[in-house]
């Protein structure tokens, strides 16, 4: 089903088309999926289950406990760069947009973003970023936006890595420059 959505969009998902592509009877499909919503929800849930499994395994990897900023950026670049934008990888963007139109799909979409947030929080915490869980959504939004940009423009994963490094340099303690005094205040050295 993800291939159909990625190739032809959400509107192409019909019981008849699913039955034809799957090589099963139309009655079998309509028995299990009474509406297009049911088909779309199952597609999104299937994608969510796979993404959640994949990212949960990655977050549980013990190497994240010893990761540095450069290694974290390289890891994200590897994951993003390893994602080819074939029809099955385009489909989730279609499904997320559809979830914006159909609130019945939002719970499934939220599950997927929660898995992304857990991985981002784990990496941020390993980097020593304060309040990693709160910032995880921002990082996930950046990655999602950069991936959408890659899809739309053909840009490279390196653009994503550069954007993440720019964000992380401001959040990671090891990367922060010393705070400069605010205008109108006296620095300790200037007393």
């Amino acid at each position: 089903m993800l291939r159909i959505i990625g190739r032809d969009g959400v509107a192409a998902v019909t019981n008849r088309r699913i039955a034809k592509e799957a090589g099963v009877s139309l009655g079998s499909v309509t028995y299990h999926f009474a509406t297009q919503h049911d088909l779309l929800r199952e597609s999104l849930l299937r994608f969510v289950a796979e993404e959640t499994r994949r990212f949960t395994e990655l977050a549980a990897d013990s190497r994240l406990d010893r990761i540095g900023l450069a290694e974290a950026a390289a890891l994200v670049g590897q994951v993003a760069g390893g994602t080819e934008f074939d029809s099955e990888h385009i489909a989730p963007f279609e499904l997320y947009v559809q979830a914006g139109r159909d609130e019945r799909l939002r719970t499934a979409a939220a599950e997927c973003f929660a898995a992304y947030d857990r991985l981002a929080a784990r990496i941020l915490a390993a980097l020593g970023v304060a309040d990693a869980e709160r910032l995880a959504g921002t990082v996930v939004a950046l990655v999602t936006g950069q991936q959408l940009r890659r899809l739309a423009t053909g840009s490279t994963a390196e653009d994503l890595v550069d954007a993440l490094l720019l964000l992380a340099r401001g959040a990671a303690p090891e990367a922060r420059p010393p705070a400069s005094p605010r205008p109108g205040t006296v620095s300790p050295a200037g007393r």
Side-chain angles (χ1 to χ4, degrees), residues 11-89:
V13 176
T14 64
N15 288 0
R16 189 172 309 282
R17 178 116 182 238
I18 297 300
K20 181 180 177 185
E21 296 253 345
V24 299
S25 72
L26 177 59
S28 176
V29 173
T30 57
Y31 175 79
H32 292 288
F33 306 104
T35 66
Q36 184 187 35
H37 164 76
D38 294 337
L39 285 166
L40 293 174
R41 184 174 182 282
E42 183 59 32
S43 286
L44 187 54
L45 287 174
R46 189 174 192 190
F47 171 77
V48 166
E50 178 58 27
E51 286 290 272
T52 300
R53 181 198 60 75
R54 186 167 69 111
F55 285 103
T56 299
E57 287 175 5
L58 193 54
D61 186 346
S62 62
R63 290 177 298 149
L64 291 181
D65 293 336
R66 297 180 301 276
I67 198 166
L69 186 57
E71 293 89 1
L75 175 64
V76 172
Q78 178 185 7
V79 170
T83 301
E84 295 299 322
F85 285 119
D86 58 15
S87 60
E88 289 189 32
H89 288 93

Side-chain angles (χ1 to χ4, degrees), residues 143-187:
V143 170
T144 302
Q146 284 293 114
Q147 286 293 75
L148 184 57
R149 183 182 186 126
R150 281 186 62 215
L151 171 64
T153 66
S155 65
T156 66
E158 286 77 29
D159 293 342
L160 170 59
V161 172
D162 290 344
L164 283 171
L165 284 171
L166 181 64
L167 178 66
R169 284 189 180 112
E174 66 189 48
R176 285 190 201 137
S180 56
R182 288 186 213 140
T185 62
V186 178
S187 71

Side-chain angles (χ1 to χ4, degrees), residues 10 91-102 105-106 148:
V10 170
F93 290 102
E94 293 271 353
L95 288 168
Y96 295 147
V97 170
Q98 189 64 25
R101 294 183 185 115
D102 184 346
L105 296 174
R106 290 184 187 155
L148 184 57

Side-chain angles (χ1 to χ4, degrees), residues 117-118 120-122 124-125 129-140:
D117 288 351
R118 283 189 299 274
R122 177 79 190 264
L124 291 169
V129 173
D131 210 4
E133 286 187 23
R134 187 179 64 81
L135 294 174
T138 301
V139 171
V140 169

